Amino acid sequence: MVMGEAAAHDLPNSLRPEARTVHEFRLNGISLSLPAGLATPEILSKLGDGTYEADEARSADRCVRPGFRVLELGAGIGYVTAMCAKRAGPQNVLSVEANPALIPVIEANLARNGLSGVTLVHGAATGHVEEGATADFAVSEGYTGSSLDGKGRAVTVPLISVHDLIRAHKPHVVLMDVEGAEADMFNRVWKCPLRFCVMELHPKKYHARTIKKIVDLMSAMDMTYDPVTSRGKILGFRKVWGAGDAPEPLEDDGEGEA
């Protein structure tokens, strides 16, 4: 049956014929596909010229090493996820994404790169939450910029405590792009063998004291500013090793403070 123009126009965006078109790209050796229904012209342009998530990709290249455990908060379409999995091993990567429409996209992109062993969790990472808690997540056009306190179509998503994720995964690297939710994640020291943490700050969404709280907590965990991964709103930290200290072995159980 051929669908008439008026009927197609009445369909939700995700079901329209043009939404079934898939765009394909290759960045830093990672093969990516993206349904047209999720792509804005700006996203497609950045994917096409190689500038898509360039700072995040550089951070992954800087921080992630073979055998490191990686916690990624805000996976997008799985580009940086795949880079981390390729370097550290898929079994060492735990990625969290709140937008339900992106979960199958991430899974497909990991599969096409032979990296399906990544642990992918659907939910919005935040600070302390009660078990089973949910919240409305605002999905913006084109998916970038979606957040718990943003504008757009609201979908109900599980809330996940960052402290539970850290306790379970004991990451050496944390990569974070959660559109302002990071403000609630720095109320107590993370107990893990943390070596690098890179996040995108959102100063328009919280007071400068929140940024100070983040910096102070990182300092309390013997983390210092990392000029290699920091740029603009991207703020990177790395572990401070004493002159006679050796890095923790990868088999460390992570029970001590980072």
Side-chain angles (χ1 to χ4, degrees):
M1 183 179 77
V2 178
M3 183 175 294
E5 182 176 349
H9 179 75
D10 292 337
L11 285 171
N13 288 341
S14 61
L15 296 180
R16 292 180 184 178
E18 63 269 24
R20 293 193 291 270
T21 301
V22 176
H23 299 281
E24 296 188 352
F25 303 90
R26 191 168 185 85
L27 278 71
N28 285 319
I30 304 297
S31 177
L32 299 169
S33 65
L34 177 60
L38 292 175
T40 62
E42 181 182 8
I43 293 172
L44 293 175
S45 175
K46 290 182 177 181
L47 282 163
D49 64 19
T51 60
Y52 178 78
E53 294 191 346
D55 290 332
E56 291 85 347
R58 186 177 62 252
S59 296
D61 186 61
R62 150 76 167 166
C63 302
V64 180
R65 302 172 190 174
F68 274 20
R69 291 184 297 275
V70 180
L71 174 60
E72 180 192 31
L73 305 178
I77 62 172
Y79 167 45
V80 175
T81 317
M83 287 192 64
C84 293
K86 195 172 181 180
R87 293 181 67 90
Q91 73 279 7
N92 290 315
V93 179
L94 171 60
S95 292
V96 180
E97 174 55 48
N99 187 341
L102 293 180
I103 298 299
V105 176
I106 299 166
E107 291 174 338
N109 282 328
L110 291 172
R112 67 192 288 143
N113 289 280
L115 301 168
S116 295
V118 168
T119 300
L120 179 61
V121 177
H122 173 233
T126 185
H128 174 74
V129 294
E130 298 295 329
E131 185 176 354
T134 62
D136 286 341
F137 183 78
V139 179
S140 64
E141 182 183 3
Y143 76 81
T144 56
S146 301
S147 68
L148 288 170
D149 61 354
K151 297 179 180 179
R153 177 176 56 87
V155 296
T156 301
V157 303
L159 290 176
I160 305 171
S161 167
V162 68
H163 303 294
D164 290 344
L165 292 167
I166 287 171
R167 187 181 303 112
H169 194 57
K170 299 180 176 64
H172 300 92
V173 179
V174 175
L175 303 176
M176 187 184 304
D177 184 4
V178 287
E179 298 297 328
E182 64 274 6
D184 300 319
M185 298 183 186
F186 295 87
N187 56 356
R188 68 174 188 261
V189 167
W190 299 351
K191 292 187 177 181
C192 63
L194 189 66
R195 300 187 186 183
F196 295 96
C197 180
V198 183
M199 68 192 76
E200 181 176 350
L201 296 177
H202 298 83
K204 292 183 178 179
K205 294 193 174 186
Y206 40 68
H207 195 274
R209 290 189 180 278
T210 298
I211 299 176
K212 183 179 184 302
K213 181 173 72 171
I214 293 171
V215 173
D216 287 349
L217 188 72
M218 286 286 109
S219 180
M221 295 192 292
D222 289 329
M223 304 288 289
T224 190
Y225 172 76
D226 181 10
V228 177
T229 55
S230 298
R231 176 179 297 186
K233 293 190 297 181
I234 303 293
L235 182 59
F237 298 91
R238 63 178 177 83
K239 182 77 172 182
V240 177
W241 301 112
D245 294 340
E248 297 163 309
L250 291 181
E251 63 269 23
D252 186 278
D253 64 7
E255 289 302 317
E257 293 183 359

